[in-house]
Amino acid sequence: MSRLYDTVEPSVIDEIMLQKAVEEQGPKEEAGRIAKAEGIDFTDVTQLRLDFKNILKVDNLWQFNNLVKLQMDNNIIEKIEGLDTLVHLVWLDLSFNNIEVIEGLDKLGKLEDLTLYNNRISTLENMDSLTKLHVFSIGNNNLSSLENLIYLRRFKSLQTLNLAGNPFCDDANYKLFVVAHIPTLAYLDFRLVDENTKTAAVEQYRYAIEELMADEAAAENKRLEKELKEKEFEKQTLAYVENLDGPHLFDSMFADDPEASKLAALPGVDELLAVYKDKMVAICQQVFQFGLQEHEKRCKEVEEFYSCVQEAKEENKDMAVQKIAEFNKYRKKVMSELVVMSDQRAIESQMNEFRGEVEKLWDTLMGFELQLVDQLEDTIKDFERNMADMVSSFVEHVQGLISQTRDLENVHHERLLEIAIITLEKYVKNELDDELPEDLRMLLVDKDTITNAVSASHDVHMLKVDNREDDIIQRANGWLGGLMERIHHEEEVARNRDRVKEVNNFIDHLRDELENLELPNAM
């Protein structure tokens, strides 16, 4: 699959090549001259041809982020790359290149037509994100396994497929295998798939397809179950209570405690731990359920706030639209009168009156904006106060529940210490019948050693509880601070700035229109 021009020095996709390609494919004659003079913004380009350019590496296309169609056939490209920013791409031609691996297409979710004809590809892979794929041409490649074609079943919109020229096309069952395993196809290798072929394919591969469909259904159910769990976990994380619906906190306390396994061998500690775990899990469940409930309340409050803001914006916009509509009626009347006037004084008087009305309109529109700013400011203050109360209440309640886990740990610590001291006394007197593990015997050398071990274990447990409490508090307060920062500065300030700019631009347009009005009858 070598190219006649493989010995030519490879080209680089640079600014000069791109500029030249855009100009060649852009508007012609006078429109083209104007476009060239003013400069073409690459972000406005929707179609681009870079074929027969001897390109080796795909690069520097990031400015073409509104590109819909890209043609890069007949080059010497070895790797699919540099396309991540072309998220609007619908049509892509990379035929007649030296590509060996399908990759670099993850961001092209809108792609419908993909041509990889005449390359060196041996495996169909890495195309999962192309859910809208409708036309796929990958003929004249190195595909040798018919089983690999099963990968294409995931593309539910695939209707046109070209595989001609691949090694597996020599298989006597090739056509029936493809039609049976990809039932959405209407065209295969440039030919219509007729009903007789479909019937024969289904008959020959009936049992294999039934088994495949069962496996796919099981895989889909597993995927949906995983997706549901991930969404649920995401919700729990947003509520700051992930992993609190079970023994996770309790288990982590002991997992990070180097003394835990040693002390667990003390007589009677297993029953003590079982009771402790049940009570700890019960409290964590309370935190978990409360957290989810409060999260729902906060989400509802935020939704109602934005709904209220949008309603205020719409109401204010309607007032402005109505005022502009009234002014436009006046404007049309004035403009029609001015073009037929011949008296200079009358013209000057009418123009001065119009200028005055424009100023009044500016005052009115800016007044509407100031009114909205004041209205939104009051709304935001009320919302911020309500949210601060909600977060504060949430934090206080969680702190109260978590303090109960500290009480449990303190009780457990005291009882464990009692058991340890009693065990030490019996151990010293050789009154223990059971054989103790060697690592526990190392702690029973004296009272200080066993006491220190119990205290160290207690400290680890307390630190785990404290860290989890701090994590919840910091995340809740951080969320509130971030939300209000975004509302105050990123959203409201930006909205106000845009609105003022919009009003000023409109008023400037009205002034310019008056000043540039042609009055042929004026002296």
Side-chain angles (χ1 to χ4, degrees), residues 180 273 454:
L273 285 173
V454 173

Side-chain angles (χ1 to χ4, degrees), residues 250 253 272-280 408-409 412:
F250 180 87
M253 288 164 53
L272 186 66
L273 285 173
V275 173
Y276 181 19
K277 183 173 185 177
D278 288 344
K279 291 182 177 180
M280 169 73 88
L408 286 177
E409 171 57 30
H412 173 75

Side-chain angles (χ1 to χ4, degrees), residues 12-25 40 42 45 48-50 53 55 59-64 70 72:
V12 177
I13 302 179
D14 56 17
E15 191 81 12
I16 296 175
M17 176 188 287
L18 294 173
Q19 186 69 39
K20 184 177 179 181
V22 170
E23 289 175 359
E24 288 176 351
Q25 299 157 41
I40 299 174
F42 287 168
V45 177
L48 181 63
R49 286 180 53 195
L50 295 172
K53 303 290 186 185
I55 296 168
D59 199 3
N60 292 317
L61 295 177
W62 58 271
Q63 297 180 72
F64 294 84
L70 176 60
M72 300 188 70

